[in-house]
């Protein structure tokens, strides 16, 4: 019978990773308790052991790419994974009275952290690198891509569900002369977003999407539906339909999973995004079936790998500015989160979708200044 070290060593070998090897993606174990901890607690044990300094890996993103691509992470599912799955089946983990938890536990960590990590506009969603040379350019290209897909016109009213620090609202108001209402469940995002958008036709509110009761010419949601949960997708789409004018469009920008799941990774749930869930194509299709017309669906998930690596470089290079407020354990936790995520997109386990939906179908089809025209013009 294999002991815990031998079992872990065999799993890693399948992914081309050596214990205490000398390649960048090999891991070096510094505490022998590591093996039993991973066997006992799966992904939570792996992440917590890294946070505690029990193992090192110079190229953590490559390590995760290899284990996700080969699927050797699957045997590490544990009773904690099963419990999280059962809770997701029995309980609506994203119900209204939990809506603000993600704001408190993730987005309210500190605006200083996000100022250091993100681009100059503080966009916390996947950038569009088609013709960009740096993160600032790639994020502006993404924001412009959204505006062009919706064919925004001066004076229109636009709703941004999950507006973050107001990056899209500010860009669309400045560049396309539209009026934007943004909603967030983060108090710190609302406060800073209002400051950044001062003087523009932008309103940033602290509000749950279920409390909306207005009509808009267009609606966008960039990186927010990952917090909605499968039990609420249908209601979410019903609300979008009720808030959308007849000729308007809804652009949904979301991480997408190749398989339908009911819960997230246990370590991510515990430390990064509580109650989150990545939707699948079929889950989203079921949600808008009979309610919305799918006009366009673009996948640029490979761009999220580059975005996450840029975020990590900013975070790492700016650590001297942050370490007075954040611990070394936090640094390791955040590094683990960013580089694990980059590895998952590199392995194409996760995707990034931009979906354009209309209420009853655009009369002349999807033909605004689309991303196809945008790419040709940029070249």
């Amino acid at each position: 019978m294999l002991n815990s070290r031998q079992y872990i060593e065999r799993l890693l070998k399948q992914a081309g990773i050596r214990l205490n090897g000398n390649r960048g993606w090999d891991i070096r174990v510094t505490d022998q308790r590591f093996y039993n901890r991973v066997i006992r607690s799966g992904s939570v044990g792996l992440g917590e052991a890294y946070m505690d300094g029990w193992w090192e890996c110079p190229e953590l993103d490559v390590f995760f790419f290899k284990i996700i691509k080969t699927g050797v992470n699957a045997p590490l599912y544990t009773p904690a994974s099963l419990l999280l799955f059962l809770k997701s089946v029995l309980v609506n983990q994203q119900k209204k009275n939990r809506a603000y938890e993600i704001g408190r536990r993730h987005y309210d960590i500190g605006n200083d952290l996000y100022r250091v990590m993100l681009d100059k506009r503080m966009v916390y969603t996947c950038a569009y690198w088609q013709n960009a040379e740096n993160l600032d350019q790639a994020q502006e290209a993404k924001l412009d891509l959204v505006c062009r897909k919706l064919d925004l016109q001066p004076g229109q009213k636009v709703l941004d569900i999950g507006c973050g620090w107001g990056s899209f609202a500010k860009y669309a108001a400045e560049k396309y002369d539209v009026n934007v209402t943004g909603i967030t469940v983060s108090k710190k995002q609302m406060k800073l977003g209002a400051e950044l958008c001062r003087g523009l036709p932008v309103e940033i509110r602290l509000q749950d999407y279920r409390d909306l009761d207005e009509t808009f010419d267009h609606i966008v949601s960039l990186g927010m539906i990952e917090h909605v949960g499968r039990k609420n997708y249908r209601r979410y789409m019903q609300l979008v339909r009720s808030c959308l004018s007849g000729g308007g469009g809804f652009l949904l920008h979301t991480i997408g999973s190749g398989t339908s799941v009911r819960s997230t990774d246990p370590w991510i749930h515990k430390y990064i995004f509580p109650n989150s869930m990545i939707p699948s194509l079929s889950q989203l299709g079921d949600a808008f079936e009979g309610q919305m017309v799918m006009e366009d669906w673009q996948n640029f998930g490979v761009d999220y790998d580059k975005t996450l690596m840029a975020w990590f470089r900013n975070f790492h290079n700016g650590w001297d500015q942050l370490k007075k407020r954040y611990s070394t354990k936090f640094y390791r936790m955040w590094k683990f989160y960013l580089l694990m995520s980059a590895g998952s997109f590199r392995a194409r386990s996760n995707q990034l979708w931009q979906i354009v939906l209309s209420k009853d179908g655009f009369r002349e089809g999807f033909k605004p200044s689309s991303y196809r025209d945008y790419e040709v013009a940029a070249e």
Side-chain angles (χ1 to χ4, degrees), residues 288-307:
F288 62 70
E289 181 177 345
Q291 298 194 84
M292 308 285 284
V293 175
M294 196 279 285
E295 301 283 357
D296 189 71
W297 195 308
Q298 182 188 12
N299 180 1
F300 52 98
V302 292
D303 287 23
Y304 225 148
D305 178 12
K306 293 181 69 174
T307 304

Side-chain angles (χ1 to χ4, degrees), residues 122-315:
M122 295 186 72
V123 186
Y124 195 20
T125 50
C126 180
Y128 189 57
W129 293 85
Q130 182 76 18
N131 297 290
E133 297 180 357
N134 55 56
L135 183 60
D136 286 342
Q137 292 178 3
Q139 288 295 14
E140 288 210 355
K142 189 271 298 299
L143 297 176
D144 200 59
L145 184 68
V146 173
C147 295
R148 293 170 68 93
K149 284 182 177 181
L150 292 176
D151 197 19
L152 298 186
Q153 298 299 317
Q156 290 183 328
K157 291 175 56 182
V158 181
L159 170 66
D160 184 356
I161 304 176
C163 64
W165 294 272
S167 55
F168 168 80
K170 189 174 190 291
Y171 184 89
E174 288 175 337
K175 305 294 185 180
Y176 286 82
D177 196 23
V178 294
N179 302 285
V180 186
T181 298
I183 64 169
T184 175
V185 292
S186 162
K187 291 181 179 179
K188 290 187 177 181
Q189 283 187 337
M190 178 194 67
K191 183 177 179 181
L192 181 55
E195 292 174 8
L196 294 174
C197 294
R198 184 177 292 118
L200 293 169
V202 172
E203 179 187 10
I204 307 292
R205 303 176 188 164
L206 187 69
Q207 185 176 18
D208 179 60
Y209 71 92
R210 282 160 285 210
D211 292 327
L212 288 164
D213 186 20
E214 301 160 69
T215 303
F216 298 87
D217 296 302
H218 299 287
I219 301 174
V220 303
S221 184
L222 310 181
M224 178 272 179
I225 201 170
E226 296 92 330
H227 304 305
V228 169
R230 66 179 185 86
K231 290 180 181 290
N232 305 301
Y233 291 153
R234 187 75 177 174
R235 183 179 176 186
Y236 179 85
M237 292 296 178
Q238 289 170 343
L239 183 136
V240 167
R241 179 177 173 83
S242 70
C243 291
L244 189 62
S245 69
F250 170 47
L251 188 140
L252 179 65
H253 173 114
T254 179
I255 298 172
S257 174
T259 57
S260 295
V261 298
R262 294 176 181 267
S263 58
T264 193
D265 173 83
W267 184 85
I268 290 288
H269 169 76
K270 183 174 182 179
Y271 288 101
I272 307 297
F273 293 118
N275 307 320
S276 63
M277 197 195 92
I278 298 174
S280 70
L281 185 152
S282 63
Q283 288 169 337
L284 291 177
D286 287 343
F288 62 70
E289 181 177 345
Q291 298 194 84
M292 308 285 284
V293 175
M294 196 279 285
E295 301 283 357
D296 189 71
W297 195 308
Q298 182 188 12
N299 180 1
F300 52 98
V302 292
D303 287 23
Y304 225 148
D305 178 12
K306 293 181 69 174
T307 304
L308 284 153
M309 294 305 294
W311 287 347
F312 173 69
R313 285 192 296 271
N314 288 346
F315 170 68

